[in-house]
Amino acid sequence: MAIQKKFLHVITVFSRLVTLVFASLAIWAFLETQVILKHSKSLDDLKYTDDYKKMMVPMILCLPEEFSIDGDTVSVNVGGEIQCESLDFLINSCAASLLFASVSSFVFIIIDWMSRHNKGHFNMSAAAGMGLFLFFILLMTGITTGALVEQNMHWVETHQIVLNNMGYSDITAEAYGNLAVITSASVFAFIAAMVTAVDATLIRCCAKNPAGKIVETAAPMPADETAPMPSKTVEPATTSETTVPFGNGPAASDRPAWLA
C-alpha cells in the first residue's frame, strides 16, 4: 500500500506540474496571438525587412488576381484591387480558448490543493469533477491552437515557395508572432489533458477502502457549543416511610386504632 500511495502521489505531482507549465505557456501564447491579430488586417502587413532579409507574412486570405477555366482567363479584381479577408475570427477564437484554459488550469490546481489539505468546502469529488471538465477544455484548446499554427505555417510556406521561384532564396518568409510558443502551448494542452485524465482515473480506481468505497478525507464537523444539552428527567424515588416506635413493638401504622 505504501508503494501504491507513493506512485499515486508522483502521478499527481507530475500532472499538476504539466498543467502549471501549460497554463504559463497559454498566457504567453495568448500574447503572441495578439501580435498576429494586430498585423493581419490587410496586404499592407506583407512587409519586407531589409535588415534581417525577412518577408513578414500576415495571416490573411486573398483571392488571386485571375484564374483559368477551360483555357479562359477570368479576372477577379474589383476596381483594380485584390480582394482580401482578415481571419480575425479564427485568431480570436484561439486566443479566447488559450485564455480560458489558462484560468481554468490555475483554478483547478488551487481547488485540488485545497481539497487534498482539507481547506475550504471542497472535497476530492468536486476536484475530480473539475478535472473532467478541464480535460475537455484542454482538448478543445489544443485543437484550436493547432489550427491557428497550421494556417499560419501554410501561408509562410507558400510565400517561401514564391520567393524561391522568383530567385529570392536568400529571403526568409516568417510569420508574425512566435509560432514556436503557440505550438508548444498546443502540445502541452494535449499532454496536460492526458495526464489529468490518468490522474483522476487512478485516484478513483485505486484510492479505495476494503469495502470498495472511495476514501475521502473531510474536515471534522466542529462541535456546536451553543446547542442545548439533552435534558434528563430524574424521577424522585418513592419510599414508604414507616414510623417505628421505641423498643421492639409493632410499627405505629400497625397499631390498633384504639391505641393511636
Side-chain angles (χ1 to χ4, degrees), residues 2 6 29 32 36 51 93 111 129 141 176 199 216 247 257:
K6 290 181 179 180
E32 296 297 330
I36 298 175
D51 297 336
S93 63
I111 292 181
T141 302
Y176 287 99
D199 175 66
E216 294 185 0

Side-chain angles (χ1 to χ4, degrees), residues 177-200:
N178 193 334
L179 294 184
V181 174
I182 303 176
T183 303
S184 300
S186 177
V187 173
F188 268 89
F190 289 112
I191 297 177
M194 293 300 107
V195 295
T196 300
V198 170
D199 175 66

Side-chain angles (χ1 to χ4, degrees), residues 12-198:
T12 300
V13 172
F14 177 73
S15 172
R16 301 303 174 263
L17 287 177
V18 172
T19 305
L20 186 62
V21 171
F22 162 75
S24 304
L25 277 174
I27 296 177
W28 190 0
F30 170 79
L31 299 176
E32 296 297 330
T33 59
Q34 299 308 298
V35 176
I36 298 175
L37 181 64
K38 181 180 178 181
H39 297 91
S40 298
K41 300 297 183 182
S42 65
L43 278 180
D44 295 336
D45 294 314
L46 183 63
K47 298 178 180 179
Y48 168 71
T49 57
D50 194 17
D51 297 336
Y52 302 98
K53 288 189 175 297
K54 291 182 180 180
M55 178 68 72
M56 303 306 297
V57 181
M59 190 173 175
I60 191 170
L61 181 62
C62 297
L63 290 173
E65 296 183 4
E66 59 184 21
F67 60 91
S68 177
I69 300 179
D70 295 333
D72 297 329
T73 301
V74 180
S75 177
V76 296
N77 287 346
V78 178
E81 295 183 358
I82 300 177
Q83 299 300 307
C84 296
E85 181 67 25
S86 177
L87 300 178
D88 293 352
F89 184 79
L90 176 60
I91 302 173
N92 283 325
S93 63
C94 176
S97 64
L98 286 168
L99 185 61
F100 292 150
S102 177
V103 174
S104 301
S105 298
F106 282 122
V107 172
F108 169 70
I109 292 174
I110 294 174
I111 292 181
D112 179 74
W113 179 86
M114 293 176 64
S115 65
R116 293 176 186 273
H117 294 81
N118 296 327
K119 304 292 184 180
H121 303 283
F122 302 103
N123 54 26
M124 293 298 295
S125 296
M130 290 194 64
L132 178 62
F133 281 101
L134 182 64
F135 169 77
F136 292 104
I137 292 174
L138 292 174
L139 284 183
M140 291 186 292
T141 302
I143 294 172
T144 56
T145 307
L148 178 64
V149 173
E150 192 274 336
Q151 286 295 315
N152 239 316
M153 291 301 300
H154 171 74
W155 295 114
V156 170
E157 292 173 358
T158 301
H159 281 77
Q160 186 65 57
I161 293 174
V162 172
L163 290 173
N164 293 339
N165 293 336
M166 296 177 62
Y168 297 105
S169 56
D170 58 329
I171 300 177
T172 304
E174 187 173 316
Y176 287 99
N178 193 334
L179 294 184
V181 174
I182 303 176
T183 303
S184 300
S186 177
V187 173
F188 268 89
F190 289 112
I191 297 177
M194 293 300 107
V195 295
T196 300
V198 170

